[in-house]
Amino acid sequence: AQTVTQSQPEMSVQEAETVTLSCTYDTSESNYYLFWYKQPPSRQMILVIRQEAYKQQNATENRFSVNFQKAAKSFSLKISDSQLGDTAMYFCALTEGGSEKLVFGKGMKLTVNP
Amino acid sequence: KAGVTQTPRYLIKTRGQQVTLSCSPISGHRSVSWYQQTPGQGLQFLFEYFSETQRNKGNFPGRFSGRQFSNSRSEMNVSTLELGDSALYLCASSLSGGAGHEQFFGPGTRLTVL
């Protein structure tokens, strides 16, 4: 069965700093996708970044980038130049095979302080 | 384009009652998935529907059921409510389903069972 593990429950950083959120996963499938979702206090779940397992190149979206280590089954998210609006719960998630079913980690609460 | 809408946003029920939650996907999206979010269990997958067919089901008791209509709108029903069913229920839609497609989440329905 597929699993997603986020070992850091909470982090706090200062505005403009860089922060890295860690995630490890396990799957027996060769075809899978990894995601980072953000859930601010409004509770609206928002996709931050997406990575196809078959692509070696790490995905990047503006200030957000990932470090995808396929052999180690690691998928960390780096947020550069942190902003107050980045304060949220961050969830790492996985889909595999042909299914749209997202398997989520427990989440990590990120607080960006002024 | 309007986002995913969920109704009602808040609901209070008592044990033993039943409840129906509604989800309207983004126009043109044919796939709808449902998730339950609780502080203890985190985000758990309930169902996935595509073109009125249930393609995948999570590990929930038979009291949880769902369906999708020809216009892609979806409903989920919980019968014989238990205190543990108190949760945020999130609906997500995607263009055509399948692993890797971006899923857009609605604001959720907050269900409280007394």
Side-chain angles (χ1 to χ4, degrees):
Chain A
Q2 63 273 42
T3 59
V4 177
T5 304
Q6 294 179 252
S7 55
Q8 308 153 297
E10 195 165 352
M11 290 183 75
S12 181
V13 297
Q14 297 298 121
E15 217 174 350
E17 287 184 342
T18 294
V19 61
T20 299
L21 287 61
S22 62
C23 171
T24 58
Y25 64 92
D26 191 24
T27 176
S28 56
E29 293 275 346
S30 57
N31 176 28
Y32 59 92
Y33 295 79
L34 294 159
F35 306 82
W36 278 99
Y37 278 90
K38 165 186 175 180
Q39 189 178 41
S42 67
R43 310 300 278 175
Q44 179 80 46
M45 194 76 79
I46 301 162
L47 177 66
V48 175
I49 201 163
R50 170 181 170 271
Q51 174 80 43
E52 297 97 327
Y54 61 85
K55 284 190 178 178
Q56 292 189 330
Q57 186 173 4
N58 290 323
T60 300
E61 285 287 339
N62 301 313
R63 299 182 295 108
F64 300 89
S65 62
V66 298
N67 183 4
F68 175 44
Q69 300 291 322
K70 193 169 184 177
K73 294 187 175 177
S74 169
F75 183 62
S76 61
L77 173 70
K78 185 172 86 171
I79 305 174
S80 304
D81 187 27
S82 296
Q83 300 176 359
L84 297 178
D86 295 333
T87 292
M89 285 290 293
Y90 285 81
F91 293 93
C92 180
L94 163 78
T95 62
E96 60 178 22
S99 174
E100 197 170 75
K101 170 188 171 183
L102 282 160
V103 175
F104 287 93
K106 291 292 187 184
M108 195 217 74
K109 183 179 178 182
L110 176 68
T111 303
V112 179
N113 299 304
Chain B
K1 221 179 218 184
V4 177
T5 57
Q6 292 187 246
T7 56
R9 293 292 310 278
Y10 301 91
L11 207 48
I12 300 175
K13 292 286 188 179
T14 56
R15 276 183 302 173
Q17 287 187 309
Q18 76 164 25
V19 67
T20 299
L21 312 183
S22 181
C23 171
S24 292
I26 292 171
S27 177
H29 284 196
R30 296 169 61 193
S31 177
V32 172
S33 296
W34 288 88
Y35 296 85
Q36 180 196 64
Q37 185 174 23
T38 60
Q41 299 299 315
L43 283 148
Q44 294 186 287
F45 170 79
L46 281 156
F47 320 100
E48 174 191 345
Y49 288 92
F50 179 76
S51 292
E52 302 179 68
T53 301
Q54 187 180 88
R55 295 206 299 190
N56 207 343
K57 187 178 191 300
N59 188 24
F60 278 82
R63 300 185 297 107
F64 290 81
S65 62
R67 58 179 175 169
Q68 186 181 33
F69 302 95
S70 58
N71 62 357
S72 295
R73 191 177 69 84
S74 177
E75 287 182 348
M76 67 163 281
N77 183 278
V78 188
S79 62
T80 319
L81 284 165
E82 299 177 0
L83 296 178
D85 297 333
S86 293
L88 180 68
Y89 289 88
L90 294 168
C91 162
S93 77
S94 72
L95 200 57
S96 58
H101 289 90
E102 180 175 357
Q103 294 183 55
F104 296 83
F105 282 80
T109 293
R110 169 74 66 185
L111 172 64
T112 302
V113 182
L114 302 175

